[in-house]
């Protein structure tokens, strides 16, 4: 059985061992902005769940701790005049998914621009899929006469034990342009929220939105495990400076009845700590089965109306900061083309989710 | 190092060993329509290059023979009342790409509809990435009271030694609704033409177009090897019943000068056998470097004008069946988001290529 490399040299890796005149920047370098890890200050780990809550989650749903080690939503930013960008990473597993690219699961991508408003996609870590450590040259030959903005997205479906960014030793390195405003978009949801199956990390809809809105976000998508646990809501409520909660977990909790059981308490838990922070409840994007299977369609409609009704109930009780969005409105009639496997959006599905949510989130943030 | 399976059960495979009451259909079953393999009748192999030409290609570019073994563009269709679809395949290699999903490289996807005009995406082979043989259940629980149209797309970047489709033993099996018209769209080009980096085979722009236009197509994208060889043009000219040639190889032959050397002869070779079959020359989609690097932009513009000029020259000599399309018009200003690696389109990029080309191809076919 051959495992030979592709014939096409453009499909080969960009691993490198040319490290002369390269300085390695740690994620704790004070000139770099690490974001998306809400509890980093507590444990100094690249994880989404703090150590102190792991025993609680071990009791209620151990999968959360495993998935919490995935770095979805992590970002690293700075400004620099470097000509090259290297990424050196140690990850917790090699790629193991049939319907997601290795680079989306375990790699990084890089955006560069004159300002956060005009970031452009520039490259990925094209690492050896059989290894859990890599050094890749993501970008080279950049114009060193200009100081530019750099943004890196972390892997979506693996843990990162260590990561460093390599830049020219003589490059200017300075903090990035600040976010549009302080605070965090906090996404809670499923595999779709976690980014399955984007082609590379930056195309997950959460990363897309963070980039387009120039706001920090934290991704609490737990693949297959968006089950609306009260303890998860409690954790989300402890995050400092929330700007907006986006609650999108129907895909894991609809058919098993967990959404109907949990949504009210989930929202109340957030409201106990944050009475005026806006909350956006998003019902799930369409599945073909909703149209083909009468019972699936009926259930889907009732879950959408349940979510709409829950939001309306809170509003009728005086909560003016809670909103509902029908996820069906994010995709058009071609939606069957937007997933890789009947469930998980590709870049195509994510792009339209991001495009659809962007103005809605802007409007909510403008009001609050 | 863990290579454990994903936590999320929705990300797991759909391999099966439940074959009771399943009948296996061979690609040579007379009720099935195998398409996209222009020379199948000669060698009865699922390859894109006939045996008789392999010694020629070994002389000029052996990579063509290796890539010719990849099944990009292969399709299998029939009508059936089956409740399940299984796919049993032996492939020539296990997945080995960092920026493409295993299912796009080595797997199949399946579309189903009442007619070829309303086919919808229904499922993939979620096989074990470490194996070169698999049996997967792609679809189940279909309504057996209706005879429906089934369309399968072959893997894009691997060879298929054997493949069979499993259906209910008591299901009706009959030939698919015929194509819109007889004849083949013949695509010639690069890795982009071959389908790198679609998320699954059906999202390659060539498969998208074949589906939307309901026409047979043959994919002669040769990853990294769209070099405009005269012998390749000769092979394409030998294919029976061409409807339209789409020539899209700038991405492999622009910067190395091979396009300028070859395009005129390539077209003349096709014209020797097919004086009235329409030809559409498409310059490549934009790359960010075209905008950032002055010399890249200048070269890109000159190559586009070279292609436009070549087409105009043929037209001025009385050839009214040759057309040029500026590939820049297929993507909008967000185009940097449309690739996985700065070069290869994702489903997002392919979707817009398909959407853009569809009306243009329709118009050309209507005229000829």
């Amino acid at each position: 059985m051959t495992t030979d490399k592709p014939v096409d040299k453009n499909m080969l890796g960009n691993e490198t061992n040319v490290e002369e005149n390269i300085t390695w920047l740690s994620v704790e370098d004070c000139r770099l902005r690490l974001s998306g890890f809400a509890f980093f200050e507590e444990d100094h780990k690249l994880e989404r769940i703090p150590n102190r809550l792991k025993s609680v989650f071990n009791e209620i749903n151990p999968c959360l701790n495993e998935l919490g080690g995935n770095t979805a939503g992590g970002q690293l930013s700075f400004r620099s005049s470097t000509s090259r960008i290297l990424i050196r990473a140690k990850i917790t597993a090699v790629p193991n998914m049939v319907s997601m690219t290795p680079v989306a699961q375990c790699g990084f991508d890089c955006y560069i621009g004159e300002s956060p408003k005009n970031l452009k996609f520039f490259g990925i870590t094209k690492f050896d899929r059989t290894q859990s450590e890599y050094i890749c040259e993501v970008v080279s030959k950049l114009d060193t006469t200009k100081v530019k903005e750099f943004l890196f997205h972390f892997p979506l479906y693996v843990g990162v034990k260590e990561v460093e960014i390599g830049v020219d030793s003589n490059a200017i390195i300075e903090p990035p342009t600040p976010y549009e405003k302080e605070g965090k978009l906090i996404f809670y949801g499923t595999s779709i929220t976690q980014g399955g199956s984007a082609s590379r990390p930056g195309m997950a809809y959460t990363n897309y939105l963070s980039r387009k809105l120039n706001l920090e976000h934290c991704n609490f998508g737990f693949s297959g495990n968006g089950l609306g646990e009260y303890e998860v809501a409690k954790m989300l409520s402890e995050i400092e400076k929330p700007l907006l909660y986006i609650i999108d977990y129907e895909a894991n909790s609809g058919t098993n009845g967990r959404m109907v059981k949990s949504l009210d308490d989930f929202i109340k838990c957030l409201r106990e700590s944050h009475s005026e922070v806006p909350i956006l409840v998003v019902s799930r994007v369409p599945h073909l089965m909703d149209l083909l299977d009468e019972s699936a369609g009926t259930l889907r409609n009732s879950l959408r109306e349940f979510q709409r009704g829950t939001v309306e109930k809170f509003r009728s009780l005086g909560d003016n900061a809670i909103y509902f969005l029908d996820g069906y409105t994010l995709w058009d009639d071609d939606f069957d083309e937007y997933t890789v496997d009947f469930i998980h959006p590709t870049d195509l599905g994510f792009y339209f989710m991001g495009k659809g949510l962007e103005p809605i989130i802007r409007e909510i943030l403008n009001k609050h």
Side-chain angles (χ1 to χ4, degrees), chain A residues 34-329:
Chain A
L34 179 70
S35 50
F37 298 100
F39 304 102
F40 186 79
E41 290 304 321
E42 281 186 50
D43 305 317
H44 292 262
K45 281 186 184 169
L46 299 166
E47 298 192 357
R48 299 186 289 162
I49 290 176
N51 282 342
R52 66 184 154 83
L53 293 180
K54 288 185 182 171
S55 58
V56 177
F57 290 164
N58 257 341
E59 293 292 320
I60 59 157
N61 181 1
C63 292
L64 291 171
N65 285 334
E66 183 165 346
L67 291 162
N70 294 177
T71 55
Q75 296 184 355
L76 200 61
S77 314
F78 56 80
R79 288 172 55 80
S80 179
S81 60
T82 190
S83 70
R84 300 170 72 197
I85 290 288
L86 273 56
I87 294 183
R88 175 158 75 186
K90 289 187 188 178
I91 54 179
T92 56
V94 295
N96 63 3
M97 291 158 89
V98 70
S99 53
M100 198 159 166
T101 65
V103 67
Q105 185 184 359
C106 303
F108 292 78
D109 63 15
C110 172
Y111 281 70
I112 307 175
E114 286 163 33
S115 84
K117 291 205 186 300
N118 70 1
L119 291 170
K120 297 282 179 191
F121 166 61
F122 254 84
I124 56 174
T125 49
K126 295 169 81 172
F127 59 92
D128 179 342
R129 301 154 302 102
T130 65
Q131 302 297 316
S132 60
E133 293 189 37
Y134 52 79
I135 303 180
C136 291
E137 183 178 71
V138 177
V139 179
S140 63
K141 297 183 190 166
L142 295 173
D143 176 359
T144 56
T145 66
K146 289 180 188 159
V147 176
K148 296 172 289 295
E149 209 81 26
F150 290 78
L151 166 67
F152 304 88
H153 299 102
F154 275 68
L156 297 173
Y157 264 80
V158 80
V160 174
K161 290 181 199 166
E162 291 173 28
V163 58
E164 290 174 300
I165 306 291
V167 294
D168 297 344
S169 297
N170 61 354
I172 296 166
I173 305 292
E174 56 190 39
T177 303
Y179 281 122
E180 192 69 25
K181 60 171 96 173
E182 224 187 341
K184 298 175 178 75
L185 304 175
I186 297 173
F187 290 88
Y188 173 64
T190 66
S191 53
I192 299 177
T193 315
Q194 192 175 334
S197 288
S199 76
R200 50 183 173 78
M203 291 307 291
Y205 83 94
T206 54
N207 276 327
Y208 176 93
L209 286 165
S210 167
R211 205 161 61 237
K212 296 294 175 185
L213 298 163
N214 189 25
L215 292 171
E216 180 168 5
H217 84 296
C218 293
N219 182 322
F220 290 96
F222 295 107
S223 191
N225 287 277
L227 301 174
E229 297 95 338
Y230 186 84
E231 294 80 356
V232 172
K234 192 90 185 72
M235 172 175 74
L236 302 188
S237 76
E238 290 170 10
I239 297 170
E240 287 178 12
K241 298 183 182 150
L243 277 176
L244 169 64
Y245 290 101
I246 297 108
I247 309 295
D248 173 23
Y249 71 101
E250 181 192 332
N252 285 165
S253 293
T255 54
N256 57 20
R258 300 205 42 159
M259 169 152 261
V260 171
K261 278 192 198 144
S262 63
L263 183 61
D264 200 72
D265 286 345
F266 201 95
I267 294 169
K268 278 184 188 153
C269 178
L270 298 176
R271 278 289 171 252
E272 277 172 27
S273 307
H274 302 287
S275 58
E276 293 181 2
V277 172
I279 295 174
L280 174 63
V281 176
V282 186
S283 66
R284 75 157 162 73
V285 288
H287 289 174
L288 200 51
M289 272 305 151
D290 305 341
L291 306 184
L292 300 178
D293 175 342
E294 198 179 334
S295 66
T298 304
L299 178 58
R300 188 267 164 281
N301 289 338
S302 84
L303 286 163
R304 180 183 52 214
E305 294 318 312
F306 167 74
Q307 290 171 84
R308 192 198 304 275
T310 302
V311 166
E312 280 170 5
K313 190 192 73 185
F314 277 91
R315 292 190 76 89
S316 72
L317 294 171
D319 187 338
N320 292 318
I322 188 163
Y323 300 87
F324 171 74
L325 176 70
D326 177 357
Y328 258 51
T329 62

